[in-house]
């Protein structure tokens, strides 16, 4: 059965590492839904947050293959952890001949921010998990989405809570 | 000190005594250093692909890391097939390539190719060196990566200005600097315990051993293990030599061209203990019908090999030798008289046999003859195709590291340069390439290398005038529509050998086989023997691609 998994990979911050990871997915025929890369608290490492899909064996294989790369320092299967994840999307929505009040209402519900307004469209920033962004897109589709960009999911495991 | 000199000094620190390679523009600073080099012997090849396979043959026959060198652009891309061959079979080689100066990288400069990009999916790791001072640490890392864990090829790309650049002092590091690479050699005790329980419970166990047993020098432990638990043992192509051919529990190779008794044993077993093998499609056939009643214990140093093709019951990550030692200590002696009797019955009932309806020498007989005359220390390389499968079936290997063959990638043209590399590493041993008339022509230019350095490699060409394995498939599965497989009359191999300054023989009659082989083995220079074999001899038995292991085809001539 197809499942979705969020995986964090801590890698050496070297040139070519992204190509190794991306190449692994294409050469092994793995499905990648999103990939977000950035520096970590330690500038010698980067963190890649990967959302991959596949059946159980494939997902297990993805984690093993990521671990096998020499430049990989750590692979964290987020689905086995308690974690928070966020994604940011910028969406340019058509407002020509549309009811702006309805749109603003939706934006407010989703705690979106309007970053830019033009005569025929505005740009909205939405953050949240994948599901939340998808439902915002779904609701605003009737206005007409002119352009959209998503960062891909980033995730961190939750801090340890004190014992009660 | 110049970057080029630092490179050579670093290689010497790693114990490198041999480089196979070819010069070129960006490598001029390096070849200028090699000109003075006394400790490392350099072998000039005739095509860079040959250099990569020679490094591979050197590595497979010794267990040491093989080294090859090529210039930027086409030199580097010519190594690619050899690197991929080593990758698929987990062979430790370090490939050094020249690169255009760092200031020119990305400009489509003359003889520029992004070789680290090109080889990324076929190396264990690769490096583009940016400054001369990085050379020692990168060389240290490269040899460590290539030779530890699951071995494999590592490429180091060396820009011209890096080789020509200067650093004040040469200091070679004591240890690799690889915080993300820690191969796991010691097995988990709990997994060993679970495995022992399963082994002691099994009624019909079989051991399936692969190249990992040879890589970890675990042959002795493997034999002790199968004797202690009284389990029949079969090997993959790359596992050949891990168990002596005449061991009573040995069933030969399994899979597509494996013995019937090995395949029947696998299919009927209730426990498979896989050691250093990876459930390749040529081994399993149809995965859904593979060993339907068996639990699987899988021992491998590479976690990605485990549960990649088939979900296993007990994974054990570790080095084959260490794991076998642990198992030997923990498992009690077991006997399975009924199971062994059943397996031995199959062994007696379905031996490998051969015949050929048409005229000509029987290739299997030639291989048996070579086997008989060459002695157990001879090193045998093969090309790919029928010659390879017949050798796997009929040659009697008693020791590991004596059989060199491209298993995973199936590289035609591998055997001859691999044999040359093995001869360099083993100057006193008899080294023979068992070839087909197709494969041998893929790297025949290396005859010049063998002659120049007086490397007395023997090549036995099983010449049937066909690209035989493809012809066999066309015969069986495409209604004998022999599309572009007829290569008869390509060349006069005897004259070709002579043209290169080697010795050539042609053998067409059965009674000449032994005489010519004996004579050839005594000649202290390269020899090509052109055996005219029965044209349509096939490799039997055979599991059609994707078929079930127990449904093996046999030739009508065997019926």
């Amino acid at each position: 059965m197809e499942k979705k998994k969020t995986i964090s990979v801590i890698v050496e911050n070297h040139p070519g590492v992204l190509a190794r990871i991306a190449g692994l997915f294409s050469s092994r025929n793995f499905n990648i839904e999103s990939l977000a890369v950035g520096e970590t608290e330690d500038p010698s490492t980067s963190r890649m947050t990967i959302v991959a899909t596949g059946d159980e064996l494939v997902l297990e294989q993805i984690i093993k293959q990521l671990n096998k790369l020499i430049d990989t320092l750590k692979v964290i299967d987020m689905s086995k952890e308690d974690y928070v994840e966020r994604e940011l999307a910028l969406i340019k929505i058509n407002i020509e001949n549309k009811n702006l009040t309805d749109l603003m209402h939706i934006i407010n519900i989703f705690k979106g921010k309007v970053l830019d307004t033009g005569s025929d469209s505005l740009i909205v920033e939405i953050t949240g998990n994948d599901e939340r962004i998808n439902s915002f897109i779904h609701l605003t589709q009737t206005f007409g989405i002119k352009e959209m960009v998503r960062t891909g999911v980033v995730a961190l495991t939750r801090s340890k809570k004190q014992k009660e | 000190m110049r970057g080029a000199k630092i490179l050579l000094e670093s290689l010497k620190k790693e114990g490198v005594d041999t480089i196979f390679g070819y010069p070129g523009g960006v490598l001029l600073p390096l070849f200028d250093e090699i000109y003075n080099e006394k400790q490392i012997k350099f072998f000039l090849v005739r095509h860079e692909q040959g250099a990569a396979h020679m490094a591979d043959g050197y590595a497979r026959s010794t267990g040491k890391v093989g080294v090859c060198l090529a210039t930027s652009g086409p030199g580097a891309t010519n190594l690619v097939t050899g690197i991929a061959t080593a990758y698929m079979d987990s062979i430790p080689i370090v490939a050094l390539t020249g690169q255009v100066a760092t200031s020119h990288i990305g400009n489509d400069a003359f003889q520029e190719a992004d070789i680290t990009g090109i080889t990324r999916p076929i190396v264990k790791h690769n490096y583009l060196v940016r400054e001369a001072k990085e050379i020692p640490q990168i060389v240290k890392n490269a040899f460590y990566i290539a030779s530890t864990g699951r071995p494999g090829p590592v490429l180091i790309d060396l820009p011209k200005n890096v080789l020509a650049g200067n650093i004040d002092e040469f200091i070679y590091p004591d240890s690799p600097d690889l915080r993300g690479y820690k191969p796991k050699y010691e097995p988990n005790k709990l997994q060993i315990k679970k495995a022992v329980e399963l082994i002691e419970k099994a009624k019909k166990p079989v051991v399936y051993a692969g190249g990992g047993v040879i890589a970890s020098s675990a042959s002795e432990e493997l034999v002790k293990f199968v004797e202690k638990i009284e389990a029949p043992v079969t090997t993959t192509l790359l596992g050949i030599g891990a168990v002596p051919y005449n061991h009573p529990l040995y069933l030969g190779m399994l899979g597509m061209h494996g013995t019937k008794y090995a395949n029947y044993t696998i299919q009927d077993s209730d426990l498979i203990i896989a050691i250093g093998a990876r459930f390749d499609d040529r081994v399993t056939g149809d995965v859904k019908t593979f060993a339907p009643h068996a639990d699987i214990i899988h021992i491998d140093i590479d976690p990605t090999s485990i549960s990649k093709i088939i979900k296993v019951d007990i994974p054990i990550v570790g080095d084959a030798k260490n794991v076998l030692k642990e198992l030997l200590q923990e498992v009690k002696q077991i006997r399975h008289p009924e199971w062994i009797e059943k397996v031995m019955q199959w062994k007696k009932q379905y031996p490998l046999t051969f015949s050929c309806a048409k005229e000509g020498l029987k290739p299997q007989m030639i291989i048996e003859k070579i086997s008989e005359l060459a002695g157990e220390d001879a090193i045998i390389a093969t090309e790919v195709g029928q010659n390879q499968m017949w050798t796997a079936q009929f040659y009697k290997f008693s020791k590991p590291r004596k059989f060199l063959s491209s298993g995973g990638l199936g590289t035609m043209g591998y055997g001859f340069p691999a044999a040359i590399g093995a001869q360099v590493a083993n100057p006193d041993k008899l080294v023979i390439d068992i070839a087909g008339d197709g494969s041998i022509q893929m790297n025949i230019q290396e005859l010049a290398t063998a002659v120049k350095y007086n490397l007395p490699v023997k090549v036995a060409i099983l010449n049937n005038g066909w690209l035989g394995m493809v012809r066999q498939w066309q015969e069986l599965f495409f209604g004998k529509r022999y599309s572009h497989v007829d290569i008869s009359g390509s060349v006069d191999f005897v004259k070709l050998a002579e043209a290169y300054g080697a010795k050539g023989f042609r053998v067409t009659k059965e009674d000449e086989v032994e005489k010519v082989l004996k004579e050839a083995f005594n000649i202290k220079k390269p020899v090509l023997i052109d055996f005219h074999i029965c044209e349509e001899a096939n490799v039997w038995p055979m599991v059609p691609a994707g078929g079930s292991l127990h449904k093996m085809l046999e030739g009508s001539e065997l019926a």
Side-chain angles (χ1 to χ4, degrees), chain A residues 11-13 15-16 19-21 23 27-28 42 44-45 56-57 60-61 64-65 67-73, chain B residues 87 116 120-121 123-127 130 145 150 177-181 302-311:
Chain A
V11 296
E12 294 281 4
N13 191 2
R20 283 184 212 280
I21 302 264
S27 67
R28 298 253 168 210
D42 171 3
S44 74
T45 67
E56 201 187 323
L57 272 188
E60 187 186 324
Q61 201 39 229
K64 287 177 174 177
Q65 291 285 354
N67 255 315
K68 189 175 170 179
L69 293 173
I70 307 285
D71 285 329
T72 300
L73 303 178
Chain B
Y87 182 70
T116 48
R120 202 172 286 129
V123 292
K124 192 167 166 190
H125 197 57
N126 60 21
Y127 290 96
R130 301 194 178 253
I145 293 168
R150 178 180 180 175
D177 174 22
L178 293 161
R179 51 183 179 165
Y181 175 69
D302 179 3
T304 68
S305 285
I306 296 173
S307 292
K308 180 177 68 179
I309 310 286
I310 292 179
K311 179 105 182 126

Side-chain angles (χ1 to χ4, degrees), chain A residues 11-12 14-27 32 35 37 48 66 69 71, chain B residues 114 116-121 126:
Chain A
V11 296
E12 294 281 4
H14 285 165
V17 177
L18 179 59
R20 283 184 212 280
I21 302 264
L24 176 66
F25 275 78
S26 66
S27 67
I32 194 164
L35 167 67
V37 195
M48 300 193 182
L66 287 167
L69 293 173
D71 285 329
Chain B
D114 173 13
T116 48
I118 289 167
T119 57
R120 202 172 286 129
N126 60 21

